[in-house]
PDB file of all heavy atoms in Angstrom:
ATOM      1  N   TYR A1212      -0.787  -5.272  -1.685  1.00  0.00           N
ATOM      2  CA  TYR A1212       0.039  -4.993  -2.834  1.00  0.00           C
ATOM      3  C   TYR A1212       0.301  -3.516  -2.986  1.00  0.00           C
ATOM      4  O   TYR A1212       1.421  -3.082  -3.158  1.00  0.00           O
ATOM      5  CB  TYR A1212      -0.622  -5.491  -4.136  1.00  0.00           C
ATOM      6  CG  TYR A1212       0.019  -4.870  -5.315  1.00  0.00           C
ATOM      7  CD1 TYR A1212       1.328  -5.200  -5.674  1.00  0.00           C
ATOM      8  CD2 TYR A1212      -0.627  -3.890  -6.026  1.00  0.00           C
ATOM      9  CE1 TYR A1212       1.947  -4.580  -6.719  1.00  0.00           C
ATOM     10  CE2 TYR A1212      -0.036  -3.273  -7.082  1.00  0.00           C
ATOM     11  CZ  TYR A1212       1.256  -3.621  -7.422  1.00  0.00           C
ATOM     12  OH  TYR A1212       1.875  -2.985  -8.450  1.00  0.00           O
ATOM     13  N   LYS A1261       3.410  -0.430 -16.455  1.00  0.00           N
ATOM     14  CA  LYS A1261       2.411  -1.432 -16.787  1.00  0.00           C
ATOM     15  C   LYS A1261       2.495  -2.552 -15.769  1.00  0.00           C
ATOM     16  O   LYS A1261       3.586  -3.002 -15.432  1.00  0.00           O
ATOM     17  CB  LYS A1261       2.644  -1.996 -18.202  1.00  0.00           C
ATOM     18  CG  LYS A1261       2.419  -0.946 -19.325  1.00  0.00           C
ATOM     19  CD  LYS A1261       2.654  -1.565 -20.686  1.00  0.00           C
ATOM     20  CE  LYS A1261       2.413  -0.554 -21.796  1.00  0.00           C
ATOM     21  NZ  LYS A1261       2.629  -1.146 -23.146  1.00  0.00           N
ATOM     22  N   THR A1262       1.361  -2.934 -15.240  1.00  0.00           N
ATOM     23  CA  THR A1262       1.324  -3.872 -14.109  1.00  0.00           C
ATOM     24  C   THR A1262       0.531  -5.144 -14.472  1.00  0.00           C
ATOM     25  O   THR A1262      -0.578  -5.069 -14.960  1.00  0.00           O
ATOM     26  CB  THR A1262       0.702  -3.225 -12.864  1.00  0.00           C
ATOM     27  OG1 THR A1262       1.451  -2.082 -12.506  1.00  0.00           O
ATOM     28  CG2 THR A1262       0.665  -4.193 -11.731  1.00  0.00           C
ATOM     29  N   HIS A1263       1.171  -6.282 -14.230  1.00  0.00           N
ATOM     30  CA  HIS A1263       0.466  -7.590 -14.339  1.00  0.00           C
ATOM     31  C   HIS A1263       0.361  -8.186 -12.923  1.00  0.00           C
ATOM     32  O   HIS A1263       1.369  -8.327 -12.272  1.00  0.00           O
ATOM     33  CB  HIS A1263       1.207  -8.560 -15.261  1.00  0.00           C
ATOM     34  CG  HIS A1263       0.536  -9.909 -15.322  1.00  0.00           C
ATOM     35  ND1 HIS A1263      -0.564 -10.162 -16.096  1.00  0.00           N
ATOM     36  CD2 HIS A1263       0.804 -11.078 -14.661  1.00  0.00           C
ATOM     37  CE1 HIS A1263      -0.948 -11.402 -15.947  1.00  0.00           C
ATOM     38  NE2 HIS A1263      -0.141 -11.984 -15.087  1.00  0.00           N
ATOM     39  N   LEU A1264      -0.877  -8.484 -12.532  1.00  0.00           N
ATOM     40  CA  LEU A1264      -1.113  -9.028 -11.168  1.00  0.00           C
ATOM     41  C   LEU A1264      -1.651 -10.450 -11.261  1.00  0.00           C
ATOM     42  O   LEU A1264      -2.510 -10.753 -12.132  1.00  0.00           O
ATOM     43  CB  LEU A1264      -2.127  -8.179 -10.418  1.00  0.00           C
ATOM     44  CG  LEU A1264      -1.866  -6.653 -10.287  1.00  0.00           C
ATOM     45  CD1 LEU A1264      -3.004  -6.025  -9.497  1.00  0.00           C
ATOM     46  CD2 LEU A1264      -0.558  -6.409  -9.645  1.00  0.00           C
ATOM     47  N   SER A1265      -1.232 -11.264 -10.319  1.00  0.00           N
ATOM     48  CA  SER A1265      -1.809 -12.587 -10.126  1.00  0.00           C
ATOM     49  C   SER A1265      -2.233 -12.666  -8.659  1.00  0.00           C
ATOM     50  O   SER A1265      -1.416 -12.413  -7.755  1.00  0.00           O
ATOM     51  CB  SER A1265      -0.788 -13.706 -10.420  1.00  0.00           C
ATOM     52  OG  SER A1265      -0.329 -13.638 -11.768  1.00  0.00           O
ATOM     53  N   VAL A1278      -6.380 -15.608 -10.105  1.00  0.00           N
ATOM     54  CA  VAL A1278      -7.000 -14.745 -11.104  1.00  0.00           C
ATOM     55  C   VAL A1278      -5.990 -13.701 -11.531  1.00  0.00           C
ATOM     56  O   VAL A1278      -5.080 -13.346 -10.766  1.00  0.00           O
ATOM     57  CB  VAL A1278      -8.278 -14.046 -10.548  1.00  0.00           C
ATOM     58  CG1 VAL A1278      -9.357 -15.081 -10.318  1.00  0.00           C
ATOM     59  CG2 VAL A1278      -7.961 -13.270  -9.261  1.00  0.00           C
ATOM     60  N   GLU A1279      -6.130 -13.249 -12.783  1.00  0.00           N
ATOM     61  CA  GLU A1279      -5.137 -12.319 -13.362  1.00  0.00           C
ATOM     62  C   GLU A1279      -5.764 -10.954 -13.644  1.00  0.00           C
ATOM     63  O   GLU A1279      -6.945 -10.834 -13.951  1.00  0.00           O
ATOM     64  CB  GLU A1279      -4.591 -12.901 -14.698  1.00  0.00           C
ATOM     65  CG  GLU A1279      -4.123 -14.333 -14.595  1.00  0.00           C
ATOM     66  CD  GLU A1279      -2.826 -14.465 -13.811  1.00  0.00           C
ATOM     67  OE1 GLU A1279      -1.959 -13.583 -13.982  1.00  0.00           O
ATOM     68  OE2 GLU A1279      -2.662 -15.449 -13.059  1.00  0.00           O
ATOM     69  N   TYR A1280      -4.928  -9.930 -13.523  1.00  0.00           N
ATOM     70  CA  TYR A1280      -5.307  -8.556 -13.806  1.00  0.00           C
ATOM     71  C   TYR A1280      -4.224  -7.884 -14.671  1.00  0.00           C
ATOM     72  O   TYR A1280      -3.044  -8.212 -14.530  1.00  0.00           O
ATOM     73  CB  TYR A1280      -5.448  -7.729 -12.535  1.00  0.00           C
ATOM     74  CG  TYR A1280      -6.501  -8.202 -11.554  1.00  0.00           C
ATOM     75  CD1 TYR A1280      -6.208  -9.247 -10.667  1.00  0.00           C
ATOM     76  CD2 TYR A1280      -7.731  -7.569 -11.452  1.00  0.00           C
ATOM     77  CE1 TYR A1280      -7.154  -9.664  -9.735  1.00  0.00           C
ATOM     78  CE2 TYR A1280      -8.675  -7.989 -10.519  1.00  0.00           C
ATOM     79  CZ  TYR A1280      -8.383  -9.032  -9.683  1.00  0.00           C
ATOM     80  OH  TYR A1280      -9.301  -9.454  -8.749  1.00  0.00           O
ATOM     81  N   GLU A1281      -4.634  -6.955 -15.455  1.00  0.00           N
ATOM     82  CA  GLU A1281      -3.707  -6.075 -16.212  1.00  0.00           C
ATOM     83  C   GLU A1281      -4.094  -4.623 -15.987  1.00  0.00           C
ATOM     84  O   GLU A1281      -5.274  -4.297 -15.887  1.00  0.00           O
ATOM     85  CB  GLU A1281      -3.772  -6.372 -17.718  1.00  0.00           C
ATOM     86  CG  GLU A1281      -3.374  -7.767 -18.137  1.00  0.00           C
ATOM     87  CD  GLU A1281      -1.884  -8.017 -18.060  1.00  0.00           C
ATOM     88  OE1 GLU A1281      -1.123  -7.019 -17.941  1.00  0.00           O
ATOM     89  OE2 GLU A1281      -1.476  -9.195 -18.076  1.00  0.00           O
ATOM     90  N   GLY A1282      -3.081  -3.787 -15.891  1.00  0.00           N
ATOM     91  CA  GLY A1282      -3.378  -2.356 -15.667  1.00  0.00           C
ATOM     92  C   GLY A1282      -2.137  -1.530 -15.628  1.00  0.00           C
ATOM     93  O   GLY A1282      -1.109  -1.897 -16.176  1.00  0.00           O
ATOM     94  N   THR A1283      -2.257  -0.403 -14.970  1.00  0.00           N
ATOM     95  CA  THR A1283      -1.163   0.548 -14.907  1.00  0.00           C
ATOM     96  C   THR A1283      -1.043   1.117 -13.504  1.00  0.00           C
ATOM     97  O   THR A1283      -1.963   1.062 -12.696  1.00  0.00           O
ATOM     98  CB  THR A1283      -1.393   1.705 -15.876  1.00  0.00           C
ATOM     99  OG1 THR A1283      -2.640   2.336 -15.571  1.00  0.00           O
ATOM    100  CG2 THR A1283      -1.386   1.266 -17.335  1.00  0.00           C
ATOM    101  N   VAL A1301      -6.303  -1.530 -12.208  1.00  0.00           N
ATOM    102  CA  VAL A1301      -6.213  -2.769 -12.962  1.00  0.00           C
ATOM    103  C   VAL A1301      -7.583  -3.365 -13.202  1.00  0.00           C
ATOM    104  O   VAL A1301      -8.536  -3.065 -12.452  1.00  0.00           O
ATOM    105  CB  VAL A1301      -5.318  -3.817 -12.262  1.00  0.00           C
ATOM    106  CG1 VAL A1301      -3.874  -3.366 -12.198  1.00  0.00           C
ATOM    107  CG2 VAL A1301      -5.852  -4.112 -10.854  1.00  0.00           C
ATOM    108  N   PHE A1377       6.917  -7.778  -7.066  1.00  0.00           N
ATOM    109  CA  PHE A1377       6.374  -7.714  -5.697  1.00  0.00           C
ATOM    110  C   PHE A1377       5.598  -8.970  -5.342  1.00  0.00           C
ATOM    111  O   PHE A1377       4.890  -9.537  -6.188  1.00  0.00           O
ATOM    112  CB  PHE A1377       5.449  -6.492  -5.573  1.00  0.00           C
ATOM    113  CG  PHE A1377       4.596  -6.523  -4.322  1.00  0.00           C
ATOM    114  CD1 PHE A1377       5.142  -6.105  -3.119  1.00  0.00           C
ATOM    115  CD2 PHE A1377       3.320  -7.000  -4.339  1.00  0.00           C
ATOM    116  CE1 PHE A1377       4.367  -6.146  -1.958  1.00  0.00           C
ATOM    117  CE2 PHE A1377       2.531  -7.062  -3.180  1.00  0.00           C
ATOM    118  CZ  PHE A1377       3.077  -6.644  -2.012  1.00  0.00           C
ATOM    119  N   TRP A1393      -0.230 -13.005  -3.695  1.00  0.00           N
ATOM    120  CA  TRP A1393      -0.308 -11.848  -4.600  1.00  0.00           C
ATOM    121  C   TRP A1393       1.047 -11.636  -5.256  1.00  0.00           C
ATOM    122  O   TRP A1393       2.053 -11.519  -4.534  1.00  0.00           O
ATOM    123  CB  TRP A1393      -0.706 -10.595  -3.818  1.00  0.00           C
ATOM    124  CG  TRP A1393      -1.088  -9.437  -4.679  1.00  0.00           C
ATOM    125  CD1 TRP A1393      -0.259  -8.533  -5.251  1.00  0.00           C
ATOM    126  CD2 TRP A1393      -2.403  -9.036  -5.070  1.00  0.00           C
ATOM    127  NE1 TRP A1393      -0.969  -7.610  -5.961  1.00  0.00           N
ATOM    128  CE2 TRP A1393      -2.300  -7.914  -5.877  1.00  0.00           C
ATOM    129  CE3 TRP A1393      -3.672  -9.569  -4.805  1.00  0.00           C
ATOM    130  CZ2 TRP A1393      -3.409  -7.259  -6.406  1.00  0.00           C
ATOM    131  CZ3 TRP A1393      -4.765  -8.963  -5.328  1.00  0.00           C
ATOM    132  CH2 TRP A1393      -4.620  -7.782  -6.111  1.00  0.00           C
ATOM    133  N   ILE A1394       1.113 -11.629  -6.603  1.00  0.00           N
ATOM    134  CA  ILE A1394       2.354 -11.422  -7.322  1.00  0.00           C
ATOM    135  C   ILE A1394       2.099 -10.317  -8.335  1.00  0.00           C
ATOM    136  O   ILE A1394       1.184 -10.387  -9.124  1.00  0.00           O
ATOM    137  CB  ILE A1394       2.793 -12.710  -8.043  1.00  0.00           C
ATOM    138  CG1 ILE A1394       2.981 -13.851  -7.037  1.00  0.00           C
ATOM    139  CG2 ILE A1394       4.112 -12.445  -8.796  1.00  0.00           C
ATOM    140  CD1 ILE A1394       3.231 -15.218  -7.707  1.00  0.00           C
ATOM    141  N   ALA A1395       2.969  -9.317  -8.291  1.00  0.00           N
ATOM    142  CA  ALA A1395       2.855  -8.177  -9.244  1.00  0.00           C
ATOM    143  C   ALA A1395       4.197  -8.042  -9.957  1.00  0.00           C
ATOM    144  O   ALA A1395       5.246  -7.977  -9.324  1.00  0.00           O
ATOM    145  CB  ALA A1395       2.512  -6.908  -8.508  1.00  0.00           C
ATOM    146  N   THR A1396       4.103  -7.966 -11.290  1.00  0.00           N
ATOM    147  CA  THR A1396       5.282  -7.711 -12.095  1.00  0.00           C
ATOM    148  C   THR A1396       5.055  -6.374 -12.832  1.00  0.00           C
ATOM    149  O   THR A1396       4.117  -6.243 -13.577  1.00  0.00           O
ATOM    150  CB  THR A1396       5.539  -8.825 -13.101  1.00  0.00           C
ATOM    151  OG1 THR A1396       5.647 -10.096 -12.394  1.00  0.00           O
ATOM    152  CG2 THR A1396       6.836  -8.559 -13.895  1.00  0.00           C
ATOM    153  N   ASP A1397       5.943  -5.398 -12.549  1.00  0.00           N
ATOM    154  CA  ASP A1397       5.827  -4.095 -13.168  1.00  0.00           C
ATOM    155  C   ASP A1397       6.893  -3.891 -14.252  1.00  0.00           C
ATOM    156  O   ASP A1397       8.060  -4.265 -14.046  1.00  0.00           O
ATOM    157  CB  ASP A1397       6.010  -2.999 -12.117  1.00  0.00           C
ATOM    158  CG  ASP A1397       4.770  -2.866 -11.237  1.00  0.00           C
ATOM    159  OD1 ASP A1397       3.767  -3.524 -11.521  1.00  0.00           O
ATOM    160  OD2 ASP A1397       4.814  -2.089 -10.252  1.00  0.00           O
ATOM    161  N   THR A1398       6.470  -3.337 -15.362  1.00  0.00           N
ATOM    162  CA  THR A1398       7.369  -2.994 -16.449  1.00  0.00           C
ATOM    163  C   THR A1398       7.181  -1.493 -16.782  1.00  0.00           C
ATOM    164  O   THR A1398       6.056  -1.067 -16.975  1.00  0.00           O
ATOM    165  CB  THR A1398       7.083  -3.816 -17.715  1.00  0.00           C
ATOM    166  OG1 THR A1398       7.129  -5.226 -17.360  1.00  0.00           O
ATOM    167  CG2 THR A1398       8.078  -3.525 -18.803  1.00  0.00           C
TER     168      THR A1398
END
Side-chain angles (χ1 to χ4, degrees):
Y1212 163 69
K1261 293 181 178 180
T1262 300
H1263 177 80
L1264 306 180
S1265 300
V1278 292
E1279 309 289 320
Y1280 299 81
E1281 297 288 344
T1283 57
V1301 294
F1377 166 81
W1393 192 275
I1394 302 172
T1396 304
D1397 285 354
T1398 305

